Amino acid sequence: MKKWSLLLFLAMAAIGMQAQKPWDKGGFETQQYRNLFVEMGYNPMAVERKLQEVFNDVFTGPNKVYFEVGDTLGYISDIKNHDVRTEGMSYGMMIAVQMDKKDIFDRLWRWCKKYMQHQDGSREGYFAWSLKTDGTRNAQGAASDGELYFITALIFASNRWGDDTGINYKAEAQHILNCTMPKEYEPEQRGGFGGFGGFGGQQQAGPQKMYLIDPETMLITFTPDGFGQRYTDPSYHIPAFYEVWARWADDGRSNYWNECARKSREFLHKAIDEKTGLNPDMCQYDGSELQMPRFPGRPPGQAQGQQGQQGQPQTPPRNGNSNFRYDSWRVPMNIALDYEWSCADKEWQRQYGERIQNFFYSQGIDSFVDQYRTDGSLPEGNEILQAGGFRKLRHSIGLVATTAAASMMCSHEKSKEFVKALWEAKHEPFEDGYFDAYYDGLLRLFAFMHLSGHYRVIFPKCHLQTGDVKMTIDPSEGGKILSYKYKGQEVISQMPMREAYGSTFWTSPQKEWNWPPVQEYDKGAYKVEQNGNSLVLTSEVSQKLGFRIRKAFTTDPKSDAINVTYTIINESGKEKQVAPWEITRVPNEGLIFFDAPAEQITPTGIIPFKTAFKAAWYTTDETNENRKINADGKGWLAYLNKGLLMVKKFEDLKPGQPAPDEAEIQVYVNRGKTYIELESQGAYTKLAPGESLSWTVKWYLIPYNGEAAPSKQLLKTVNKVIKN
């Protein structure tokens, strides 16, 4: 049946030979994301492995920057500067929620809450930007990009995991948002960013206003207090984040946040050089150069600088703040993110993507350096910002990563070379010993997430609960059942590969669409109607088949079962014949069984089902081949693993009712110790234009204390369950 066939491989190779075509709609609208690596010819499985390797480099490998503290806390450290920064912590939270790593996310947030976030006073809700690894604060002031990421990551966590698992993520995001509204504060003698107060300017006497977003320009501040809120940093501008706030923060400011997004896009036009595509490290709100000395205590890229002597500014020959350097690296990737999610400024963004890649290409795809003046000339002397004790221009992997991410916006052939350069780049120390596991590592991981389609708008999930049973459904990706739990224990597969987790729905027979599954109802977004424990999801019409799918979920409090009713609607304008097909992935472990003699299973012997007590039983095994069987059961299919018994009840088909070459029950075993698909199908039915068919599968999940082996007791339990 499956998965990466020669035909698919050849198709992907052909795509890789074609010019890339950026999309015209963003993830907010389509909920779809490009895997640019695959489009350019890389093997899909190799891409997934590479992404996991890069993630492991940051979080678990020998050069990791993530460290766990006790049973509940964790932090990300800028190791070369020996501190913990809001930048790294908020980046880590965004990565964790995107990669569905709830434990890492919660550990990072608890550390932030305990040590970084001010719980009272004029800075309440804000986060101290730099701390020692033991939680001691190096500074009290905030860096505005930290708050930007914290808020967005918390909203996504609420959307992904809900707010009833120990942390009310949305409430935490709303608290930060409310605290960032303009409010009076009394400046400290050495207040502001990094404890430096005025950054070369005199503090004004008396109360002042503190704000994350400048009220006049509606642009994000460099720091939300002192001199730092008089200017901005182009790398802090991610307009799509404001759109996330507008949709899901529920703070009553949706129109305001949408306007902030619009203003931010306008600002980027002004801040970026029209010839080179380069942007300054910091600038005025109108995009013009910032004329002020450089303080080494600002958060390098936050900008990878040394902290130096407190309060002692550096005065370079030129104003290095107007150069493209560490913070600036993030801008190509940030604009690519806005393009991928919103596409609200697509024409300019496409031009920008090719403009900045053209500049770096002109400098040598394997030799461009990491700091420039915005006119493209090289900085000199102290104008070069030092990092980790070194003052040197380098071909840094962090900038290799962000320029590759810009390929999402590009159609020129050069974009493939940038992607190839990232794929082949090794993150290892330079000859002089300089190595940045932190900033370079995080930007590299973000770029791989972008280019593999794993950096997404996380839409709210839907949850149904009856008794101790909870089901989670994702309307944004094919209306898939993501999770099915009893008292928090999961029973279905959670493998982080698109075709290897959750439960989905297809139309049968497969020969009508071959592979991959039909986009509109396997991966596309469904419209949602939810009323308590009743949920209805409706797909778009399949362009290929002319069907629309509706999924209705209801709970049965009497049995704590969940009914899933699938409706196929023929909107093609001509008569069609079709059957419903549910596919549920489970781990390759445990016991699978149904009511049928194993001798009637076809093909014979391909999966070692055995007959016992007039039923077919399969204790999971492992081979190097994909295997699939068909069977005629009696309207139920069961799976037992780790003390949980899942039973699915559906219509018992008579011979001749299934679609051609299909069956009432199917079991697919993926090669290796990966996952298994439990599949059931309804009757093959003719539908006139406008007609529909409905088919219900009743899901049960109960604890079972017996052995995971064939027994009369197990069959008796199933028969008792399906009578409810």
Side-chain angles (χ1 to χ4, degrees):
M1 169 186 173
K2 314 247 185 180
K3 284 294 188 200
W4 304 114
S5 64
L6 177 62
L7 185 62
L8 177 61
F9 177 79
L10 293 174
M12 289 303 179
I15 290 173
M17 296 172 62
Q18 299 172 3
Q20 304 309 307
K21 188 175 189 298
W23 288 4
D24 291 321
K25 296 179 180 179
F28 282 119
E29 181 176 354
T30 66
Q31 300 182 45
Q32 298 300 314
Y33 302 87
R34 297 173 72 191
N35 188 327
L36 201 57
F37 285 123
V38 172
E39 288 184 33
M40 291 184 176
Y42 293 88
N43 180 278
M45 298 296 287
V47 173
E48 293 295 324
R49 287 195 299 270
K50 185 82 167 182
L51 175 63
Q52 190 61 49
E53 288 172 8
V54 177
F55 176 87
N56 291 342
D57 285 347
V58 173
F59 284 89
T60 63
N63 294 314
K64 68 179 182 179
V65 296
Y66 168 74
F67 303 92
E68 294 187 351
V69 182
D71 294 332
T72 61
L73 303 178
Y75 64 84
I76 286 177
S77 174
D78 182 353
I79 294 174
K80 68 184 180 308
N81 284 319
H82 314 292
D83 66 349
V84 180
R85 305 181 171 206
T86 52
E87 170 194 69
M89 295 295 282
S90 62
Y91 281 12
M93 286 169 56
M94 178 60 77
I95 292 165
V97 72
Q98 290 288 335
M99 303 290 282
D100 200 15
K101 305 289 186 181
K102 187 176 186 300
D103 180 65
I104 293 175
F105 185 99
D106 289 354
R107 284 176 175 271
L108 293 173
W109 172 247
R110 292 189 196 105
W111 203 96
C112 291
K113 183 88 172 173
K114 181 174 182 178
Y115 296 117
M116 285 184 153
Q117 191 179 41
H118 294 275
Q119 301 302 323
D120 52 31
S122 61
R123 298 187 189 277
E124 181 182 358
Y126 284 100
F127 298 79
W129 79 269
S130 172
L131 287 78
K132 295 181 174 63
T133 58
D134 65 2
T136 304
R137 291 176 183 168
N138 294 321
Q140 298 296 331
S144 298
D145 63 331
E147 277 68 11
L148 184 79
Y149 270 87
F150 282 134
I151 293 164
T152 311
L154 284 163
I155 292 171
F156 279 166
S158 174
N159 287 354
R160 165 152 271 169
W161 300 312
D163 296 312
D164 58 353
T165 59
I167 299 174
N168 189 330
Y169 304 111
K170 181 172 285 189
E172 297 287 3
Q174 290 171 333
H175 175 63
I176 303 169
L177 283 168
N178 290 335
C179 290
T180 61
M181 292 297 104
K183 59 185 176 183
E184 284 194 350
Y185 79 107
E186 191 71 37
E188 302 168 15
Q189 186 177 3
R190 296 172 86 79
F193 191 41
F196 291 118
F199 270 118
Q202 296 295 318
Q203 286 280 20
Q204 298 177 4
Q208 296 180 25
K209 289 285 187 182
M210 177 188 296
Y211 39 79
L212 185 75
I213 306 296
D214 176 63
E216 182 177 345
T217 63
M218 301 179 75
L219 301 176
I220 192 168
T221 60
F222 180 68
T223 70
D225 58 5
F227 194 82
Q229 63 189 20
R230 302 183 193 177
Y231 58 95
T232 189
D233 180 326
S235 76
Y236 289 10
H237 288 259
I238 311 178
F241 279 14
Y242 299 129
E243 291 195 34
V244 172
W245 303 1
R247 286 170 179 258
W248 297 302
D250 297 330
D251 66 342
R253 305 182 183 99
S254 292
N255 292 338
Y256 177 75
W257 299 130
N258 282 324
E259 183 64 9
C260 286
R262 188 183 70 82
K263 293 283 190 179
S264 189
R265 293 182 182 111
E266 288 181 353
F267 161 80
L268 288 168
H269 288 220
K270 301 172 186 175
I272 291 170
D273 188 272
E274 293 183 357
K275 293 182 179 179
T276 64
L278 302 177
N279 59 272
D281 194 49
M282 295 179 283
C283 65
Q284 307 287 357
Y285 289 121
D286 63 3
S288 61
E289 288 190 6
L290 183 66
Q291 299 298 329
M292 55 171 275
R294 166 79 186 190
F295 267 73
R298 76 172 289 239
Q302 280 165 286
Q304 295 196 350
Q306 294 295 97
Q307 291 188 24
Q309 295 296 316
Q310 186 167 346
Q312 298 299 316
Q314 296 173 344
T315 307
R318 284 174 53 94
N319 187 350
N321 297 295
S322 296
N323 289 349
F324 179 95
R325 49 192 187 185
Y326 298 110
D327 275 22
S328 308
W329 298 358
R330 300 181 288 211
V331 172
M333 188 157 60
N334 290 348
I335 294 176
L337 181 145
D338 190 46
Y339 180 83
E340 292 173 74
W341 289 9
S342 180
C343 245
D345 195 16
K346 59 187 178 184
E347 297 302 327
W348 180 84
Q349 289 168 338
R350 289 172 180 169
Q351 294 169 9
Y352 162 79
E354 298 197 0
R355 187 191 325 160
I356 196 164
Q357 284 196 343
N358 283 336
F359 171 76
F360 283 110
Y361 196 85
S362 73
Q363 303 297 302
I365 190 76
D366 296 317
S367 58
F368 60 76
V369 295
D370 52 17
Q371 298 183 49
Y372 290 91
R373 297 169 184 156
T374 55
D375 65 4
S377 60
L378 293 175
E380 300 175 352
N382 288 343
E383 187 186 352
I384 300 172
L385 183 60
Q386 63 174 325
F390 295 84
R391 190 184 303 279
K392 186 175 181 179
L393 299 177
R394 303 179 183 277
H395 184 65
S396 296
I397 197 171
L399 184 55
V400 172
T402 61
T403 54
S407 297
M408 302 299 294
M409 302 176 282
C410 300
S411 57
H412 61 189
E413 286 294 311
K414 296 172 187 173
S415 65
K416 297 179 182 179
E417 295 188 52
F418 282 91
V419 172
K420 181 174 183 285
L422 174 63
W423 183 270
E424 296 178 350
K426 295 181 179 180
H427 190 196
E428 56 189 14
F430 287 86
E431 291 183 359
D432 59 8
Y434 175 79
F435 180 67
D436 182 15
Y438 167 75
Y439 192 52
D440 280 335
L442 287 168
L443 294 186
R444 177 176 177 237
L445 177 52
F446 271 135
F448 270 92
M449 290 163 58
H450 275 287
L451 293 166
S452 63
H454 284 280
Y455 201 164
R456 304 177 176 185
V457 180
I458 299 177
F459 281 70
K461 307 297 185 288
C462 297
H463 307 276
L464 294 177
Q465 184 151 4
T466 174
D468 294 319
V469 176
K470 183 176 182 179
M471 180 179 282
T472 301
I473 303 103
D474 186 359
S476 69
E477 189 174 343
K480 281 188 176 67
I481 298 171
L482 298 181
S483 173
Y484 190 43
K485 295 180 179 180
Y486 179 85
K487 290 187 175 180
Q489 182 181 342
E490 184 63 70
V491 71
I492 61 179
S493 172
Q494 301 296 302
M495 284 191 69
M497 292 165 49
R498 181 178 287 276
E499 311 297 347
Y501 68 91
S503 182
T504 189
F505 179 83
W506 300 335
T507 55
S508 181
Q510 185 175 347
K511 66 182 181 181
E512 297 289 335
W513 47 267
N514 294 318
W515 192 263
V518 177
Q519 173 74 28
E520 289 84 355
Y521 46 75
D522 181 71
K523 298 178 181 66
Y526 280 60
K527 295 180 180 178
V528 182
E529 301 173 56
Q530 184 164 15
N531 183 12
N533 271 358
S534 175
L535 172 68
V536 178
L537 306 180
T538 306
S539 77
E540 297 295 324
V541 176
S542 165
Q543 297 300 306
K544 182 174 184 178
L545 300 180
F547 296 122
R548 186 191 301 277
I549 307 301
R550 183 174 296 128
K551 303 180 182 182
F553 301 81
T554 57
T555 59
D556 181 356
K558 180 181 176 182
S559 60
D560 286 340
I562 296 178
N563 298 307
V564 187
T565 299
Y566 301 97
T567 301
I568 303 174
I569 307 164
N570 181 8
E571 300 198 15
S572 68
K574 60 182 179 181
E575 184 178 82
K576 284 181 167 286
Q577 196 163 1
V578 68
W581 186 2
E582 184 185 71
I583 301 91
T584 303
R585 288 120 185 180
V586 298
N588 185 339
E589 54 191 26
L591 180 68
I592 296 166
F593 58 106
F594 50 85
D595 193 347
E599 294 74 19
Q600 296 180 8
I601 292 173
T602 58
T604 303
I606 192 170
I607 300 176
F609 275 91
K610 304 295 183 183
T611 299
F613 314 109
K614 299 182 180 180
W617 308 78
Y618 166 51
T619 300
T620 58
D621 67 339
E622 178 182 354
T623 71
N624 292 324
E625 300 296 328
N626 298 330
R627 297 166 288 164
K628 184 175 182 180
I629 59 94
N630 293 335
D632 179 18
K634 294 291 173 61
W636 62 265
L637 176 60
Y639 171 68
L640 175 61
N641 185 34
K642 296 180 179 178
L644 285 185
L645 175 62
M646 178 173 70
V647 182
K648 299 169 77 174
K649 179 182 176 182
F650 40 82
E651 178 187 3
D652 181 19
L653 299 187
K654 298 176 183 178
Q657 283 189 294
D661 302 319
E662 305 288 351
E664 176 186 324
I665 291 174
Q666 298 174 316
V667 176
Y668 166 79
V669 182
N670 197 61
R671 65 176 176 264
K673 197 69 174 176
T674 51
Y675 68 95
I676 294 174
E677 291 181 349
L678 307 180
E679 308 177 11
S680 52
Q681 296 195 22
Y684 194 45
T685 305
K686 288 184 179 180
L687 298 178
E691 285 189 337
S692 64
L693 68 84
S694 292
W695 176 68
T696 298
V697 180
K698 193 163 190 174
W699 290 52
Y700 302 86
L701 187 60
I702 64 170
Y704 182 78
N705 295 324
E707 184 182 359
S711 69
K712 289 183 179 180
Q713 181 59 40
L714 197 45
L715 285 175
K716 183 178 179 180
T717 300
V718 169
N719 286 324
K720 183 178 179 181
V721 166
I722 62 178
K723 288 179 180 178
N724 291 327

